[in-house]
Amino acid sequence: MKHYVGLDVSQKETSICVVDEAGTVVFEGKAKSEPVVCRAVTN
């Protein structure tokens, strides 16, 4: 099943939302706006 990731990036914090093909929210959260942190949250 495919998943889609939406990111709302600011200088300090990034909001992350993952939805599946049907549009159901699979994950919703926040992380520091650092590439390593955001990647760890979405993997």
Side-chain angles (χ1 to χ4, degrees):
M1 177 177 275
K2 291 183 181 180
H3 288 88
Y4 302 93
V5 178
L7 301 173
D8 182 8
V9 181
S10 71
Q11 288 185 356
K12 293 183 180 181
E13 191 172 71
T14 298
S15 295
I16 303 166
C17 183
V18 180
V19 297
D20 63 16
E21 291 178 300
T24 304
V25 176
V26 176
F27 174 82
E28 195 170 15
K30 294 183 179 186
K32 289 184 179 181
S33 288
E34 298 175 12
V36 173
V37 175
C38 291
R39 183 177 177 128
V41 171
T42 58
N43 278 335

